[in-house]
Amino acid sequence: MKFNAMTAVAAVMLAVPGVASAGPDDDKLIINGETEIVTKAPLPAHMEDLNMDMIMSGWHFRSDETQVLEMDDFDNPGMVFVEIAQEQWDTVEGSEGKSCASCHEGPESMTGVRAVYPKWNEDAGEVRTLAMQINACREENMGAEPYEYTGGQMANMEALIALQSRGMPVNVAIDGPAKETWEKGKEIYYTRYGQLELSCANCHEDNYGNMIRADHLSQGQVNGFPTYRLKNTKLNTVHGRFKGCVRDTRAETFTPGGEEFVALELYVASRGNGLSVEGPSVRN
Amino acid sequence: MAKGVRPRVKVPKSADAGEVIVIKTLISHKMESGQRKDSDGNTIPRSIINRFTCEFNGQSVVEVKMEPAISTNPYFEFEAQVPEAGEFKFTWYDDDGDVYEDVKAVSVG
């Protein structure tokens, strides 16, 4: 009896610091003192029967020091890459003698684009990610070499395009012709992979807010991509992150740009419908 | 000249006389430490920004000596008192002899 009481007290004492440090915070994200970012939103309709309260940007799961880097564009290290992307945008490449600017003029013409990708492309008869669309444009319209799917130039260009939609709500379509791909992505999300037998959902749905060793698990939202990570001091693409995450389950990963990750990106993006586009975001 | 080097500075356009303002500076630079080797095993030569200075109307505000352990795109944030209208002059010195400069004017009142 006495022993039980003492272990109960000990358990409470041990548990309290953990509870105090875990869990997302309630900070507000306003960039440059003007752009309000929706970082918490109600569950999208397709998630309503899940045991979750709301959807949350990964920003809430990072330390105050990391969070503040995203609140001012001068402090956001990702903006250096946006400037490089602006040069890429204006550079003539390929056999057609065109740059992005030749057809699209300024990058402002891309406003709203990031929010709706991945998206069904009727002509191609497939769901295309933003990266696929960029490369299709380079190959078909510019006659240029495609960017490496998760490479630096691609990440830069995605950041420039995402920035135009910053603050707008993510709104990817999951019905109609995209439904089949979305269902496939959902299946991948809930499938356990690797020697550790972990699915995306095991960490990012069942355990967000908890610590996985030293790491604070987020909901795995992709609204903030491409993401500048302090650990590798560069912009990271969605598929690059997926690959790292699957690798961490000790599995053979899917190919970045392959149909599995495209489907997964559509499904994961749809789990963030309602959050603001945040890229380029800053994470650790 | 090292590739992709561009200085950036954020200074308020105006201030009250005697006000302390926050200055943020960032220069994109690869800051190659000289410790790394390329895929053939050859040492990649050191190439860093080794000195950074800020002057206000010719008077030194801050001077920084940098060493190879400083990471890419060095960022400095500091405070300075603005006694009168004038110009902040920022200078970065590269290992290869290049000098990068930026100037920002501040009005008072």
Side-chain angles (χ1 to χ4, degrees):
Chain A
M1 193 67 190
K2 198 175 174 188
F3 175 76
N4 279 343
M6 277 183 68
T7 40
V9 169
V12 167
M13 285 173 67
L14 281 172
V16 166
V19 170
S21 65
D25 63 19
D26 291 321
D27 296 343
K28 289 259 186 300
L29 176 54
I30 299 172
I31 297 175
N32 299 334
E34 54 184 31
T35 310
E36 271 192 51
I37 301 292
V38 176
T39 52
K40 290 185 179 179
L43 296 179
H46 68 86
M47 291 169 73
E48 268 168 2
D49 51 352
L50 299 180
N51 184 24
M52 292 168 77
D53 299 330
M54 61 176 86
I55 52 174
M56 269 178 278
S57 162
W59 184 80
H60 283 292
F61 298 86
R62 304 280 68 96
S63 69
D64 287 349
E65 294 83 354
T66 306
Q67 286 182 336
V68 79
L69 287 171
E70 203 180 311
M71 297 171 82
D72 184 317
D73 281 347
F74 196 91
D75 296 347
N76 184 339
M79 288 300 160
V80 171
F81 299 92
V82 170
E83 284 181 27
I84 297 170
Q86 180 66 56
E87 286 170 19
Q88 289 171 225
W89 180 273
D90 295 325
T91 304
V92 173
E93 281 182 274
S95 57
E96 304 301 310
K98 287 181 183 171
S99 66
C100 304
S102 306
C103 298
H104 297 292
E105 299 182 358
E108 316 79 64
S109 60
M110 293 289 128
T111 304
V113 170
R114 173 70 268 182
V116 295
Y117 270 83
K119 183 181 166 189
W120 176 258
N121 184 308
E122 192 60 53
D123 295 339
E126 62 180 359
V127 170
R128 278 189 176 170
T129 62
L130 184 56
M132 288 163 78
Q133 193 59 51
I134 291 168
N135 270 344
C137 212
R138 287 180 63 82
E139 289 182 282
E140 292 160 21
N141 300 331
M142 293 167 68
E145 287 289 310
Y147 291 142
E148 188 192 335
Y149 196 88
T150 56
Q153 288 180 305
M154 180 61 85
N156 298 348
M157 189 54 74
E158 285 185 340
L160 177 67
I161 293 173
L163 182 63
Q164 313 307 320
S165 307
R166 195 165 65 179
M168 298 172 71
V170 175
N171 184 23
V172 295
I174 61 173
D175 50 1
K179 189 165 173 40
E180 193 185 330
T181 307
W182 182 82
E183 295 282 2
K184 187 179 171 189
K186 183 173 180 179
E187 192 183 322
I188 293 173
Y189 192 88
Y190 287 102
T191 303
R192 290 171 180 266
Y193 290 102
Q195 292 177 326
L196 298 184
E197 293 187 23
L198 288 170
S199 72
C200 308
N202 291 145
C203 289
H204 297 293
E205 181 175 307
D206 303 338
N207 279 296
Y208 67 87
N210 292 336
M211 304 297 286
I212 182 164
R213 303 193 69 164
D215 204 11
H216 197 189
L217 284 169
S218 73
Q219 290 186 348
Q221 297 286 357
V222 294
N223 62 310
F225 276 84
T227 287
Y228 181 90
R229 296 191 72 190
L230 300 170
K231 69 176 268 186
N232 60 14
T233 65
K234 66 184 178 78
L235 286 177
N236 294 260
T237 62
V238 173
H239 289 207
R241 191 69 193 87
F242 282 168
K243 187 179 166 188
C245 217
V246 178
R247 181 206 57 210
D248 289 348
T249 71
R250 299 188 188 167
E252 288 286 339
T253 78
F254 299 112
T255 315
E259 58 177 328
E260 295 88 357
F261 274 172
V262 171
L264 184 60
E265 182 178 345
L266 175 62
Y267 178 68
V268 175
S270 78
R271 289 176 72 99
N273 270 352
L275 295 173
S276 293
V277 173
E278 209 182 300
S281 61
V282 185
R283 303 286 187 262
N284 54 0
Chain B
M1 178 174 160
K3 275 197 327 194
V5 180
R6 187 186 301 159
R8 302 165 181 79
V9 178
K10 190 175 182 183
V11 180
K13 287 196 173 61
S14 66
D16 296 329
E19 189 185 342
V20 175
I21 59 170
V22 174
I23 295 175
K24 297 176 176 180
T25 75
L26 173 72
I27 187 162
S28 47
H29 194 284
K30 61 183 179 339
M31 298 293 276
E32 189 61 57
S33 69
Q35 305 283 336
R36 301 198 307 155
K37 292 189 167 71
D38 64 17
S39 51
D40 299 327
N42 304 314
T43 302
I44 305 170
R46 175 183 134 157
S47 170
I48 67 168
I49 304 267
N50 56 47
R51 184 164 167 247
F52 164 68
T53 62
C54 171
E55 289 176 358
F56 181 72
N57 290 348
Q59 187 188 357
S60 176
V61 176
V62 66
E63 176 159 351
V64 182
K65 182 169 179 252
M66 282 183 265
E67 300 288 351
I70 307 255
S71 54
T72 50
N73 306 339
Y75 172 95
F76 289 105
E77 180 177 330
F78 50 92
E79 292 179 343
Q81 196 174 30
V82 184
E84 62 205 15
E87 274 186 348
F88 281 100
K89 185 179 171 196
F90 306 89
T91 317
W92 291 262
Y93 298 86
D94 198 314
D95 270 352
D96 61 15
D98 280 327
V99 174
Y100 315 102
E101 286 183 344
D102 202 348
V103 172
K104 293 281 175 195
V106 180
S107 64
V108 162

